[in-house]
Amino acid sequence: MKHMHDPQTATAGAATMTATLPSTTVANLRDLGGTPLTGGRTVRPGLVLRSGQLDRLDLDADPTVAALGLTTVIDFRSEAERTSYPDRVPAGARNLVGDVLADKMNSGKMPAAAQLKDLLSDPVVAEERLGGGKAQALFGEVYRSLVSSGSAQASYRMLLTELADPQAGPLLFHCTAGKDRTGWGATIILSLLGADDDTLMAEYLSVNPAVKQAFAPMIEGFTAAGGDPDIALALIGVFPSYLEAALDEVETRYGSMEKYVREGLGVSDETVEALRARLIA
């Protein structure tokens, strides 16, 4: 696997992909459909979607989401996040929980990815915990745990298994901002479907404008209170180095994405083939 480290190339590739869907009540909503794959194929639209949390979902006021006909929602957030901002799930849709960071939480370390709102409300604590490049290092560590921890592996196994079900309808998976836990889920899926490295990075980085827009009031409040804008950016945005940390972990531990999925996630080759049959157009 060659490593992806040219964000300019990757960002240019984002223009070929489906843009953020114009939802009024769900932040950072994207359809992976239309993503280019090898051999001129694409991801089938309307079946696999990603977003931020659904605490403000209102189908009556949001025709874009209502039209998706979601049948399954997978929530990657921690128990604390789910309790503070519970999802509003469309009637009739299944709501499945895959607490990606549970093992990290249980180890007594609350990852920054699960503390966005708290950290952005206190510039002093943010500087102490995340200043001087600590934020980037912490995110790299979290991304490695997305590959190696048992709770993360169980969560992504569920995602792939659900998506491979021939009877499954449109599925949406999300975390809080829809960028880290969700971003790695999208990377796994698109890699298995045959997206190349530049496309994977382009999709990963493509959420930055939507995430910054969603968190703009918090960022402004944080910097107005004396917070370091670089810390806010490290928390809110995604960077090539974050994804590369997870890809390095895959390569170091398993040697390839296929082996990671088979041996790390425990997903059979048959399930991967079913996933491809269902999602490749």
Side-chain angles (χ1 to χ4, degrees), residues 95-133:
N95 188 19
L96 306 177
V97 172
D99 188 342
V100 170
L101 295 176
D103 287 354
K104 272 277 199 195
M105 300 288 197
N106 293 339
S107 72
K109 281 185 170 181
M110 173 86 85
Q115 283 185 290
L116 286 175
K117 293 177 173 68
D118 291 340
L119 288 167
L120 285 174
S121 67
D122 192 332
V124 176
V125 172
E127 178 63 40
E128 178 187 310
R129 291 193 48 194
L130 302 172

mmCIF file of all heavy atoms in Angstrom, residues 95-133:
data_model
loop_
_atom_site.group_PDB
_atom_site.id
_atom_site.type_symbol
_atom_site.label_atom_id
_atom_site.label_comp_id
_atom_site.label_asym_id
_atom_site.label_seq_id
_atom_site.Cartn_x
_atom_site.Cartn_y
_atom_site.Cartn_z
ATOM 1 N N ASN A 95 -31.627 1.362 14.828
ATOM 2 C CA ASN A 95 -30.565 2.202 15.377
ATOM 3 C C ASN A 95 -29.564 1.291 16.075
ATOM 4 O O ASN A 95 -29.838 0.744 17.144
ATOM 5 C CB ASN A 95 -31.157 3.206 16.373
ATOM 6 C CG ASN A 95 -30.127 4.221 16.831
ATOM 7 O OD1 ASN A 95 -29.104 4.416 16.182
ATOM 8 N ND2 ASN A 95 -30.393 4.873 17.946
ATOM 9 N N LEU A 96 -28.398 1.086 15.457
ATOM 10 C CA LEU A 96 -27.375 0.192 15.997
ATOM 11 C C LEU A 96 -26.235 1.018 16.573
ATOM 12 O O LEU A 96 -25.862 2.057 16.019
ATOM 13 C CB LEU A 96 -26.839 -0.721 14.890
ATOM 14 C CG LEU A 96 -27.890 -1.534 14.121
ATOM 15 C CD1 LEU A 96 -27.219 -2.335 13.015
ATOM 16 C CD2 LEU A 96 -28.661 -2.443 15.060
ATOM 17 N N VAL A 97 -25.678 0.563 17.686
ATOM 18 C CA VAL A 97 -24.595 1.279 18.348
ATOM 19 C C VAL A 97 -23.303 0.476 18.238
ATOM 20 O O VAL A 97 -23.263 -0.712 18.570
ATOM 21 C CB VAL A 97 -24.925 1.531 19.838
ATOM 22 C CG1 VAL A 97 -23.704 2.094 20.568
ATOM 23 C CG2 VAL A 97 -26.109 2.474 19.959
ATOM 24 N N GLY A 98 -22.258 1.135 17.752
ATOM 25 C CA GLY A 98 -20.921 0.552 17.741
ATOM 26 C C GLY A 98 -19.979 1.553 18.395
ATOM 27 O O GLY A 98 -19.508 2.478 17.739
ATOM 28 N N ASP A 99 -19.752 1.410 19.687
ATOM 29 C CA ASP A 99 -18.962 2.389 20.435
ATOM 30 C C ASP A 99 -17.471 2.192 20.123
ATOM 31 O O ASP A 99 -16.766 1.452 20.805
ATOM 32 C CB ASP A 99 -19.247 2.239 21.928
ATOM 33 C CG ASP A 99 -18.616 3.346 22.768
ATOM 34 O OD1 ASP A 99 -17.693 4.019 22.256
ATOM 35 O OD2 ASP A 99 -19.032 3.533 23.920
ATOM 36 N N VAL A 100 -17.021 2.877 19.095
ATOM 37 C CA VAL A 100 -15.671 2.689 18.566
ATOM 38 C C VAL A 100 -14.600 2.930 19.631
ATOM 39 O O VAL A 100 -13.606 2.200 19.723
ATOM 40 C CB VAL A 100 -15.444 3.631 17.360
ATOM 41 C CG1 VAL A 100 -13.984 3.635 16.935
ATOM 42 C CG2 VAL A 100 -16.331 3.222 16.183
ATOM 43 N N LEU A 101 -14.801 3.958 20.446
ATOM 44 C CA LEU A 101 -13.759 4.377 21.391
ATOM 45 C C LEU A 101 -13.933 3.786 22.787
ATOM 46 O O LEU A 101 -13.257 4.215 23.729
ATOM 47 C CB LEU A 101 -13.745 5.911 21.494
ATOM 48 C CG LEU A 101 -13.357 6.661 20.206
ATOM 49 C CD1 LEU A 101 -13.484 8.161 20.404
ATOM 50 C CD2 LEU A 101 -11.948 6.304 19.750
ATOM 51 N N ALA A 102 -14.805 2.791 22.956
ATOM 52 C CA ALA A 102 -15.080 2.249 24.287
ATOM 53 C C ALA A 102 -13.816 1.783 24.994
ATOM 54 O O ALA A 102 -13.617 2.054 26.186
ATOM 55 C CB ALA A 102 -16.085 1.099 24.194
ATOM 56 N N ASP A 103 -12.941 1.098 24.281
ATOM 57 C CA ASP A 103 -11.719 0.601 24.920
ATOM 58 C C ASP A 103 -10.822 1.754 25.376
ATOM 59 O O ASP A 103 -10.199 1.691 26.431
ATOM 60 C CB ASP A 103 -10.940 -0.305 23.959
ATOM 61 C CG ASP A 103 -11.607 -1.652 23.766
ATOM 62 O OD1 ASP A 103 -12.597 -1.919 24.470
ATOM 63 O OD2 ASP A 103 -11.144 -2.421 22.909
ATOM 64 N N LYS A 104 -10.769 2.807 24.561
ATOM 65 C CA LYS A 104 -9.999 3.991 24.932
ATOM 66 C C LYS A 104 -10.579 4.632 26.192
ATOM 67 O O LYS A 104 -9.859 5.038 27.097
ATOM 68 C CB LYS A 104 -10.028 5.011 23.790
ATOM 69 C CG LYS A 104 -8.939 4.830 22.767
ATOM 70 C CD LYS A 104 -7.678 5.492 23.259
ATOM 71 C CE LYS A 104 -6.685 5.758 22.173
ATOM 72 N NZ LYS A 104 -5.364 6.064 22.742
ATOM 73 N N MET A 105 -11.909 4.738 26.226
ATOM 74 C CA MET A 105 -12.584 5.333 27.392
ATOM 75 C C MET A 105 -12.307 4.492 28.637
ATOM 76 O O MET A 105 -12.013 5.016 29.705
ATOM 77 C CB MET A 105 -14.096 5.385 27.153
ATOM 78 C CG MET A 105 -14.509 6.193 25.952
ATOM 79 S SD MET A 105 -14.305 7.958 26.211
ATOM 80 C CE MET A 105 -15.324 8.569 24.879
ATOM 81 N N ASN A 106 -12.418 3.194 28.492
ATOM 82 C CA ASN A 106 -12.248 2.300 29.639
ATOM 83 C C ASN A 106 -10.824 2.309 30.183
ATOM 84 O O ASN A 106 -10.587 1.962 31.328
ATOM 85 C CB ASN A 106 -12.657 0.864 29.272
ATOM 86 C CG ASN A 106 -14.146 0.766 28.993
ATOM 87 O OD1 ASN A 106 -14.912 1.620 29.425
ATOM 88 N ND2 ASN A 106 -14.552 -0.252 28.253
ATOM 89 N N SER A 107 -9.886 2.726 29.328
ATOM 90 C CA SER A 107 -8.498 2.793 29.780
ATOM 91 C C SER A 107 -8.245 4.057 30.600
ATOM 92 O O SER A 107 -7.146 4.296 31.078
ATOM 93 C CB SER A 107 -7.541 2.764 28.587
ATOM 94 O OG SER A 107 -7.595 4.000 27.889
ATOM 95 N N GLY A 108 -9.300 4.883 30.737
ATOM 96 C CA GLY A 108 -9.176 6.110 31.521
ATOM 97 C C GLY A 108 -8.724 7.308 30.725
ATOM 98 O O GLY A 108 -8.561 8.393 31.263
ATOM 99 N N LYS A 109 -8.533 7.135 29.423
ATOM 100 C CA LYS A 109 -8.115 8.246 28.569
ATOM 101 C C LYS A 109 -9.263 8.642 27.666
ATOM 102 O O LYS A 109 -9.640 7.875 26.785
ATOM 103 C CB LYS A 109 -6.929 7.824 27.691
ATOM 104 C CG LYS A 109 -5.593 7.832 28.389
ATOM 105 C CD LYS A 109 -4.524 7.518 27.366
ATOM 106 C CE LYS A 109 -3.128 7.759 27.948
ATOM 107 N NZ LYS A 109 -2.104 7.472 26.935
ATOM 108 N N MET A 110 -9.820 9.808 27.877
ATOM 109 C CA MET A 110 -10.887 10.296 27.018
ATOM 110 C C MET A 110 -10.276 10.917 25.770
ATOM 111 O O MET A 110 -9.595 11.934 25.850
ATOM 112 C CB MET A 110 -11.713 11.344 27.764
ATOM 113 C CG MET A 110 -12.747 12.031 26.917
ATOM 114 S SD MET A 110 -14.301 11.147 26.839
ATOM 115 C CE MET A 110 -15.090 11.766 28.314
ATOM 116 N N PRO A 111 -10.450 10.299 24.601
ATOM 117 C CA PRO A 111 -9.824 10.841 23.392
ATOM 118 C C PRO A 111 -10.412 12.202 23.011
ATOM 119 O O PRO A 111 -11.595 12.463 23.228
ATOM 120 C CB PRO A 111 -10.149 9.793 22.327
ATOM 121 C CG PRO A 111 -10.574 8.583 23.072
ATOM 122 C CD PRO A 111 -11.180 9.069 24.349
ATOM 123 N N ALA A 112 -9.573 13.030 22.422
ATOM 124 C CA ALA A 112 -10.026 14.352 21.986
ATOM 125 C C ALA A 112 -11.187 14.245 21.005
ATOM 126 O O ALA A 112 -12.070 15.103 20.980
ATOM 127 C CB ALA A 112 -8.858 15.114 21.349
ATOM 128 N N ALA A 113 -11.209 13.180 20.214
ATOM 129 C CA ALA A 113 -12.282 13.012 19.228
ATOM 130 C C ALA A 113 -13.651 12.927 19.884
ATOM 131 O O ALA A 113 -14.668 13.221 19.258
ATOM 132 C CB ALA A 113 -12.035 11.750 18.401
ATOM 133 N N ALA A 114 -13.692 12.516 21.154
ATOM 134 C CA ALA A 114 -14.961 12.400 21.868
ATOM 135 C C ALA A 114 -15.204 13.582 22.795
ATOM 136 O O ALA A 114 -16.167 13.589 23.551
ATOM 137 C CB ALA A 114 -14.986 11.105 22.676
ATOM 138 N N GLN A 115 -14.350 14.584 22.731
ATOM 139 C CA GLN A 115 -14.437 15.716 23.657
ATOM 140 C C GLN A 115 -14.450 17.061 22.950
ATOM 141 O O GLN A 115 -14.136 18.078 23.571
ATOM 142 C CB GLN A 115 -13.216 15.708 24.584
ATOM 143 C CG GLN A 115 -13.254 14.707 25.698
ATOM 144 C CD GLN A 115 -12.040 14.928 26.578
ATOM 145 O OE1 GLN A 115 -10.931 14.652 26.165
ATOM 146 N NE2 GLN A 115 -12.235 15.437 27.769
ATOM 147 N N LEU A 116 -14.816 17.085 21.689
ATOM 148 C CA LEU A 116 -14.716 18.322 20.924
ATOM 149 C C LEU A 116 -15.360 19.500 21.633
ATOM 150 O O LEU A 116 -14.755 20.557 21.805
ATOM 151 C CB LEU A 116 -15.387 18.135 19.552
ATOM 152 C CG LEU A 116 -14.640 17.293 18.517
ATOM 153 C CD1 LEU A 116 -15.499 17.119 17.284
ATOM 154 C CD2 LEU A 116 -13.326 17.939 18.165
ATOM 155 N N LYS A 117 -16.616 19.299 22.046
ATOM 156 C CA LYS A 117 -17.371 20.409 22.611
ATOM 157 C C LYS A 117 -16.780 20.877 23.937
ATOM 158 O O LYS A 117 -16.690 22.069 24.203
ATOM 159 C CB LYS A 117 -18.836 20.008 22.770
ATOM 160 C CG LYS A 117 -19.543 19.782 21.424
ATOM 161 C CD LYS A 117 -20.975 19.321 21.605
ATOM 162 C CE LYS A 117 -21.711 19.264 20.270
ATOM 163 N NZ LYS A 117 -21.214 18.220 19.382
ATOM 164 N N ASP A 118 -16.353 19.923 24.773
ATOM 165 C CA ASP A 118 -15.781 20.289 26.074
ATOM 166 C C ASP A 118 -14.469 21.054 25.895
ATOM 167 O O ASP A 118 -14.233 22.079 26.543
ATOM 168 C CB ASP A 118 -15.519 19.039 26.926
ATOM 169 C CG ASP A 118 -16.820 18.380 27.374
ATOM 170 O OD1 ASP A 118 -17.861 19.071 27.351
ATOM 171 O OD2 ASP A 118 -16.789 17.199 27.731
ATOM 172 N N LEU A 119 -13.609 20.559 25.032
ATOM 173 C CA LEU A 119 -12.295 21.181 24.867
ATOM 174 C C LEU A 119 -12.396 22.573 24.246
ATOM 175 O O LEU A 119 -11.642 23.477 24.592
ATOM 176 C CB LEU A 119 -11.383 20.286 24.022
ATOM 177 C CG LEU A 119 -10.903 19.016 24.733
ATOM 178 C CD1 LEU A 119 -10.286 18.048 23.740
ATOM 179 C CD2 LEU A 119 -9.898 19.352 25.827
ATOM 180 N N LEU A 120 -13.363 22.740 23.342
ATOM 181 C CA LEU A 120 -13.503 24.039 22.695
ATOM 182 C C LEU A 120 -14.183 25.061 23.599
ATOM 183 O O LEU A 120 -14.270 26.238 23.251
ATOM 184 C CB LEU A 120 -14.274 23.900 21.379
ATOM 185 C CG LEU A 120 -13.472 23.296 20.227
ATOM 186 C CD1 LEU A 120 -14.350 23.064 19.015
ATOM 187 C CD2 LEU A 120 -12.285 24.189 19.860
ATOM 188 N N SER A 121 -14.668 24.627 24.750
ATOM 189 C CA SER A 121 -15.303 25.575 25.666
ATOM 190 C C SER A 121 -14.310 26.108 26.698
ATOM 191 O O SER A 121 -14.635 27.008 27.461
ATOM 192 C CB SER A 121 -16.488 24.914 26.378
ATOM 193 O OG SER A 121 -16.026 23.887 27.239
ATOM 194 N N ASP A 122 -13.088 25.569 26.739
ATOM 195 C CA ASP A 122 -12.121 25.968 27.755
ATOM 196 C C ASP A 122 -10.721 26.096 27.159
ATOM 197 O O ASP A 122 -9.960 25.126 27.102
ATOM 198 C CB ASP A 122 -12.118 24.951 28.897
ATOM 199 C CG ASP A 122 -11.358 25.462 30.120
ATOM 200 O OD1 ASP A 122 -10.440 26.275 29.940
ATOM 201 O OD2 ASP A 122 -11.678 25.034 31.236
ATOM 202 N N PRO A 123 -10.357 27.314 26.701
ATOM 203 C CA PRO A 123 -9.049 27.502 26.058
ATOM 204 C C PRO A 123 -7.865 27.123 26.943
ATOM 205 O O PRO A 123 -6.839 26.662 26.439
ATOM 206 C CB PRO A 123 -9.024 29.001 25.733
ATOM 207 C CG PRO A 123 -10.456 29.397 25.657
ATOM 208 C CD PRO A 123 -11.176 28.540 26.654
ATOM 209 N N VAL A 124 -7.998 27.311 28.265
ATOM 210 C CA VAL A 124 -6.876 27.010 29.159
ATOM 211 C C VAL A 124 -6.610 25.503 29.194
ATOM 212 O O VAL A 124 -5.469 25.047 29.047
ATOM 213 C CB VAL A 124 -7.157 27.541 30.584
ATOM 214 C CG1 VAL A 124 -6.034 27.129 31.534
ATOM 215 C CG2 VAL A 124 -7.302 29.061 30.564
ATOM 216 N N VAL A 125 -7.668 24.731 29.365
ATOM 217 C CA VAL A 125 -7.536 23.270 29.380
ATOM 218 C C VAL A 125 -7.060 22.777 28.019
ATOM 219 O O VAL A 125 -6.210 21.893 27.910
ATOM 220 C CB VAL A 125 -8.867 22.595 29.757
ATOM 221 C CG1 VAL A 125 -8.779 21.082 29.585
ATOM 222 C CG2 VAL A 125 -9.239 22.944 31.194
ATOM 223 N N ALA A 126 -7.607 23.372 26.948
ATOM 224 C CA ALA A 126 -7.216 22.967 25.589
ATOM 225 C C ALA A 126 -5.730 23.208 25.363
ATOM 226 O O ALA A 126 -5.032 22.357 24.810
ATOM 227 C CB ALA A 126 -8.042 23.733 24.562
ATOM 228 N N GLU A 127 -5.227 24.351 25.821
ATOM 229 C CA GLU A 127 -3.806 24.663 25.641
ATOM 230 C C GLU A 127 -2.936 23.691 26.429
ATOM 231 O O GLU A 127 -1.924 23.186 25.929
ATOM 232 C CB GLU A 127 -3.523 26.102 26.104
ATOM 233 C CG GLU A 127 -2.065 26.509 25.994
ATOM 234 C CD GLU A 127 -1.548 26.499 24.564
ATOM 235 O OE1 GLU A 127 -2.294 26.913 23.649
ATOM 236 O OE2 GLU A 127 -0.404 26.061 24.352
ATOM 237 N N GLU A 128 -3.367 23.400 27.647
ATOM 238 C CA GLU A 128 -2.601 22.501 28.508
ATOM 239 C C GLU A 128 -2.520 21.090 27.918
ATOM 240 O O GLU A 128 -1.479 20.458 27.906
ATOM 241 C CB GLU A 128 -3.285 22.466 29.885
ATOM 242 C CG GLU A 128 -2.645 21.536 30.895
ATOM 243 C CD GLU A 128 -3.499 21.459 32.159
ATOM 244 O OE1 GLU A 128 -3.873 22.511 32.712
ATOM 245 O OE2 GLU A 128 -3.822 20.326 32.560
ATOM 246 N N ARG A 129 -3.649 20.625 27.390
ATOM 247 C CA ARG A 129 -3.714 19.242 26.916
ATOM 248 C C ARG A 129 -3.322 19.086 25.451
ATOM 249 O O ARG A 129 -2.907 18.002 25.029
ATOM 250 C CB ARG A 129 -5.133 18.687 27.116
ATOM 251 C CG ARG A 129 -5.485 18.497 28.585
ATOM 252 C CD ARG A 129 -6.726 17.679 28.767
ATOM 253 N NE ARG A 129 -6.708 16.476 27.959
ATOM 254 C CZ ARG A 129 -7.792 15.735 27.733
ATOM 255 N NH1 ARG A 129 -8.940 16.081 28.248
ATOM 256 N NH2 ARG A 129 -7.719 14.658 26.987
ATOM 257 N N LEU A 130 -3.499 20.157 24.665
ATOM 258 C CA LEU A 130 -3.388 19.999 23.216
ATOM 259 C C LEU A 130 -2.413 20.963 22.551
ATOM 260 O O LEU A 130 -2.186 20.871 21.347
ATOM 261 C CB LEU A 130 -4.768 20.171 22.574
ATOM 262 C CG LEU A 130 -5.849 19.214 23.056
ATOM 263 C CD1 LEU A 130 -7.203 19.616 22.494
ATOM 264 C CD2 LEU A 130 -5.527 17.789 22.647
ATOM 265 N N GLY A 131 -1.842 21.891 23.295
ATOM 266 C CA GLY A 131 -0.943 22.872 22.697
ATOM 267 C C GLY A 131 0.403 22.260 22.305
ATOM 268 O O GLY A 131 0.729 21.132 22.676
ATOM 269 N N GLY A 132 1.158 23.027 21.533
ATOM 270 C CA GLY A 132 2.514 22.604 21.174
ATOM 271 C C GLY A 132 2.589 21.324 20.380
ATOM 272 O O GLY A 132 3.517 20.532 20.538
ATOM 273 N N GLY A 133 1.608 21.107 19.501
ATOM 274 C CA GLY A 133 1.633 19.911 18.651
ATOM 275 C C GLY A 133 1.068 18.668 19.298
ATOM 276 O O GLY A 133 1.011 17.599 18.670
#
